[in-house]
Amino acid sequence: MFPVEKIRADFPILQRKVNGKPLVYFDNAATSQTPKIVIDAIVDYYSNYNANIHRGVHSLSQEATDKYEQARIILQKHFNAKYAYEMIFTSGTTQSINMVASGFSSLLKKGDEIIVSALEHHSNIVPWQMLCEKTEAILKVIPMNDEGALVMSTYDELLSENTKLVFCNHISNALGTINPIEEIIEKAHNVGAAVLIDGAQSTPHMKVDFQALDVDFYVTSAHKVCGPTGVGFLYGKQEWLEKLPPYQGGGEMIETVTFEKTTYAGLPHKFEAGTPNICGGIAFGVAIDYLNSIGFDAIATYEQELLEYGTQELSKIDGVRIYGTSNKTSVISFNVGEIHPYDIGSILDKLGIAVRTGHHCAQPIMDFYKIPGTVRASFAFYNTKQEIDVFIEGLKKSIIMLS
Ligand SMILES: *Cc1c(COP(=O)(O)O)cnc(C)c1O
């Protein structure tokens, strides 16, 4: 049995009430909640060894540097990167993607092609559009089908020797679809293109092995993985990180500076200009250790149970349409008849139930289904079937009030 009650006790926020009702938090795809061990690590940093890293000779600075670099190694080991310096700390997924897009602006030429998937988050569409405007490269899109899966036969047709980059999320935040990234990576490599995978939705739910995937770039945010906001990483294969120019100039990223010429520091510092989110990086490592102490296999099995139960109970309600029915993680995106998702979300909030409504930063998906948005319930390993029951009752109430 998955020890969910014991796990729930690790999360102080799960004990609170919202609008007088016990909180039911089903907005995990937007951000995950934070276990006490991570909160304690943040308090410990600011209480006991807050100092700037890498440059100091004094003890606090060395302690902070050691902890920060240990966190990098925790991430390297967890994701099986070949070298710790391939793990670049960033402010999160969005920044990581922009760093790669910005770097590629000096590597692409007119007529080169970039392929993205139709299931992308806006943060994985807009930087490529900006890159294409700058370089006159061409953006192509792998379409999706009604089940919310990518049409892979079209991907085969889009690939050519002009393809330089392929971008895809591992798991769609709007629908939960698990994309066939092994196939996407292998086929891109066959034409010599690099691949960046957005792992913001996969890293909370599964163990990812960068070397086994042979992926060129992989990014995520700590706050989706029980860590704090404002920190994440860009993983890049050494040869790619060496090819890309630095993203920002500043302290920490240089080796020598004169007014005539600056030489850049080696990896990872070349991409880590300025004082980073030191505490956030350390807490990110603690969050990964915490999840490993529960075990990703156990988490995945339990979350699939929640997904099946939630899907089964929702499907019993008249007028419910669920979007995204292919192989997926614990995300249920749905609408009820013609009721506006926002209205359902507002009533559920009055009942203490947090879901997300709207386009989920993925307007092209909503356009595909010709809907303004959906209600999205996304489950984490600290959610329960009882909470799903409360949600279903609340949903039934809101349907009666709104029809
Ligand atoms: C949350 C999310 C992002 C954006 O992450 P930030 O932490 O806001 O930078 C990008 N892609 C996917 C798939 C996401 O779920």
Side-chain angles (χ1 to χ4, degrees):
M1 264 274 282
F2 190 73
V4 66
E5 287 310 324
K6 184 172 162 284
I7 287 167
R8 287 177 68 78
D10 294 339
F11 290 80
I13 210 170
L14 298 180
Q15 328 301 327
R16 72 161 281 186
K17 291 192 168 167
V18 170
N19 295 321
K21 304 277 198 282
L23 168 67
V24 172
Y25 186 76
F26 284 173
D27 195 18
N28 294 288
T31 201
S32 55
Q33 291 305 344
T34 320
K36 183 148 187 311
I37 196 168
V38 172
I39 300 170
D40 287 348
I42 294 168
V43 173
D44 182 40
Y45 172 80
Y46 283 110
S47 308
N48 294 312
Y49 62 100
N50 177 28
N52 210 334
I53 51 170
H54 295 142
R55 284 172 292 248
V57 292
H58 61 82
S59 299
L60 289 192
S61 173
Q62 281 170 13
E63 248 179 76
T65 305
D66 286 350
K67 285 270 180 48
Y68 191 63
E69 292 306 321
Q70 277 163 18
R72 198 190 304 275
I73 291 168
I74 292 171
L75 294 171
Q76 176 214 349
K77 296 251 154 72
H78 176 71
F79 291 102
N80 194 27
K82 194 163 180 191
Y83 306 109
Y85 54 73
E86 293 175 320
M87 308 295 296
I88 312 292
F89 279 116
T90 67
S91 70
T93 304
T94 302
Q95 190 193 26
S96 304
I97 294 169
N98 276 282
M99 284 167 76
V100 177
S102 153
F104 265 91
S105 68
S106 65
L107 302 180
L108 293 184
K109 57 180 194 315
K110 189 174 172 176
D112 283 345
E113 293 176 3
I114 301 175
I115 298 179
V116 299
S117 96
L119 291 173
E120 294 315 303
H121 190 278
H122 293 166
S123 73
N124 213 356
I125 301 174
V126 182
W128 311 123
Q129 287 172 332
M130 289 162 67
L131 173 59
C132 285
E133 257 169 48
K134 225 191 291 180
T135 59
E136 296 187 60
I138 300 157
L139 195 67
K140 305 214 156 170
V141 182
I142 314 171
M144 59 183 279
N145 63 21
D146 226 38
E147 285 83 58
L150 294 176
V151 182
M152 293 301 285
S153 55
T154 308
Y155 177 54
D156 292 342
E157 290 159 19
L158 293 177
L159 283 166
S160 76
E161 69 255 30
N162 295 329
T163 313
K164 295 293 176 271
L165 280 167
V166 177
F167 300 98
C168 185
N169 54 37
H170 196 160
I171 293 175
S172 152
N173 67 300
L175 305 178
T177 309
I178 303 171
N179 291 311
I181 63 161
E182 295 81 1
E183 183 184 343
I184 288 174
I185 293 166
E186 196 188 326
K187 287 182 168 164
H189 285 172
N190 287 343
V191 298
V195 181
L196 165 60
I197 300 293
D198 171 353
Q201 293 297 328
S202 51
T203 45
H205 301 293
M206 58 175 71
K207 219 168 161 196
V208 180
D209 182 327
F210 295 158
Q211 289 188 80
L213 283 172
D214 195 27
V215 66
D216 302 292
F217 301 99
Y218 199 102
V219 299
T220 194
S221 302
H223 73 94
K224 303 271 171 100
V225 200
C226 294
T229 56
V231 63
F233 67 73
L234 160 63
Y235 160 80
K237 275 187 196 162
Q238 179 179 359
E239 57 265 38
W240 275 112
L241 293 176
E242 278 168 357
K243 243 181 258 176
L244 294 187
Y247 179 60
Q248 286 182 308
E252 201 74 58
M253 54 75 71
I254 45 81
E255 195 166 70
T256 59
V257 176
T258 66
F259 281 105
E260 287 70 44
K261 180 155 179 63
T262 292
T263 52
Y264 303 127
L267 297 172
H269 307 294
K270 174 181 163 189
F271 292 103
E272 293 184 351
T275 303
N277 184 347
I278 302 165
C279 173
I282 294 167
F284 192 0
V286 174
I288 291 293
D289 277 347
Y290 172 75
L291 289 171
N292 277 318
S293 76
I294 298 169
F296 276 85
D297 287 343
I299 287 174
T301 307
Y302 179 70
E303 288 177 343
Q304 281 298 317
E305 273 174 41
L306 293 180
L307 173 65
E308 274 166 37
Y309 183 69
T311 305
Q312 169 201 311
E313 293 305 302
L314 256 183
S315 308
K316 289 180 187 163
I317 299 176
D318 270 354
V320 165
R321 167 152 187 212
I322 294 173
Y323 301 93
T325 47
S326 70
N327 183 24
K328 68 176 189 174
T329 48
S330 48
V331 171
I332 309 183
S333 227
F334 67 96
N335 275 321
V336 187
E338 298 295 309
I339 304 176
H340 199 282
Y342 178 83
D343 295 334
I344 292 179
S346 305
I347 295 179
L348 290 177
D349 177 59
K350 297 275 182 301
L351 302 169
I353 303 160
V355 293
R356 182 138 300 231
T357 65
H359 54 60
H360 317 298
C361 293
Q363 271 174 0
I365 300 179
M366 304 303 135
D367 293 345
F368 174 86
Y369 288 118
K370 300 190 174 58
I371 49 176
T374 68
V375 182
R376 182 186 69 188
S378 51
F379 312 130
F381 59 93
Y382 42 73
N383 290 130
T384 63
K385 286 187 185 170
Q386 292 90 304
E387 287 182 307
I388 292 177
D389 292 338
V390 171
F391 158 70
I392 294 286
E393 281 317 302
L395 181 62
K396 284 180 183 161
K397 249 186 228 166
S398 58
I399 294 168
I400 292 169
M401 288 171 72
L402 292 166
S403 10

